[in-house]
Every structure is written in structure tokens, then in C-alpha cells.
């Protein structure tokens, strides 16, 4: 597999996640950005987009990547629920970090499978 347009979508979602978190913590006076729950919902929507395009639509489901993606999906869901219940901004940081980690691992997984595919021609 190689880097595709789906990785571009996950990159935009990861950038949006970082942008939402930064806007919240830097005190942007945008109505939905000031409320912790709305920011958490926005980041969780972006993480779902990443999960769909970076894992579900991925054709190279090796065992390690499937295990890591599933674990991160459970972690992101738990962080979202806990954050929505407590309305604590610490969950924004943890959810944004786990979303970016998911993106990095997804892209590296696709790059790794590209490297193996190009060297197996011998």
C-alpha cells in the first residue's frame, strides 16, 4: 500500500483536531470553542473521520495495525465519554493527543507497507 488521498483526509482531520484544541486553550472567543463539550464533540467527530479513512477503509489490515487501531479507538471513545461527563478540558488534550498518535501510526503503517511492497520485487 502507499500513501493515498485517504491519508490526506486523515491529515486534514488531525490538523483540525490540533486547531480546535489550540483555539480552545488560546481563548478564542468563538461561541462553540469556549465550551469544553462542544470542542470534545468536534474532536471526536474528527477522530471518527480519521478512524474511517485511516483504518476502516484501509486495505492492509495486518494484525499489529488492527490491534493498535482498535485499542486507540477504544481509548478515544473512553476519553470522549469521560470528557463529556466531566466537562474537563484535560480530556481535550488527551483526546487530541490520541487522535494525533492515531494519525502518525496510520501514516507510518501505510509508508511501511509501501516500503515492503516495493522491495519484494526481487
Amino acid at each position: 500500500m502507499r500513501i493515498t488521498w485517504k491519508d490526506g483526509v486523515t491529515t486534514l482531520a488531525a490538523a483540525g483536531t490540533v486547531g480546535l484544541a489550540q483555539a480552545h486553550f488560546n481563548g478564542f472567543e468563538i461561541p462553540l470553542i469556549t465550551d469544553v463539550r462542544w470542542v470534545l464533540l468536534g474532536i471526536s467527530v474528527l477522530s471518527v473521520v480519521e478512524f474511517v479513512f485511516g483504518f476502516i477503509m484501509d486495505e492492509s489490515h495486518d494484525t499489529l495495525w488492527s490491534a493498535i487501531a482498535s485499542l486507540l479507538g477504544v481509548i478515544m471513545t473512553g476519553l470522549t465519554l469521560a470528557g463529556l461527563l466531566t466537562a474537563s478540558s484535560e480530556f481535550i488534550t488527551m483526546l487530541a493527543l490520541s487522535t494525533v498518535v492515531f494519525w502518525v501510526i496510520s501514516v507510518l503503517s501505510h509508508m511501511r507497507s509501501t516500503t515492503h511492497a516495493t522491495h519484494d520485487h526481487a
Side-chain angles (χ1 to χ4, degrees):
M1 181 167 211
R2 64 188 197 296
I3 302 298
T4 65
W5 64 271
K6 293 178 263 190
D7 294 304
V9 171
T10 62
T11 301
L12 291 174
T17 295
V18 172
L20 271 174
Q22 286 299 314
H24 176 75
F25 288 118
N26 287 323
F28 283 34
E29 293 300 321
I30 301 170
L32 296 179
I33 300 297
T34 57
D35 186 356
V36 172
R37 287 186 172 105
W38 280 109
V39 174
L40 282 167
L41 284 173
I43 292 174
S44 66
V45 166
L46 291 170
S47 66
V48 167
V49 168
E50 274 190 50
F51 197 78
V52 167
F53 284 91
F55 177 66
I56 293 174
M57 294 177 68
D58 186 9
E59 292 89 24
S60 66
H61 287 278
D62 67 355
T63 307
L64 180 61
W65 172 225
S66 295
I68 291 170
S70 299
L71 178 64
L72 283 170
V74 169
I75 289 170
M76 289 187 283
T77 302
L79 289 172
T80 299
L81 293 175
L84 290 173
L85 290 174
T86 64
S88 175
S89 61
E90 286 84 14
F91 288 101
I92 293 174
T93 304
M94 291 185 286
L95 184 59
L97 181 61
S98 61
T99 303
V100 170
V101 166
F102 179 88
W103 169 74
V104 168
I105 293 172
S106 171
V107 171
L108 289 176
S109 172
H110 295 153
M111 288 173 58
R112 182 181 59 92
S113 60
T114 301
T115 304
H116 290 299
T118 57
H119 292 294
D120 288 340
H121 290 13

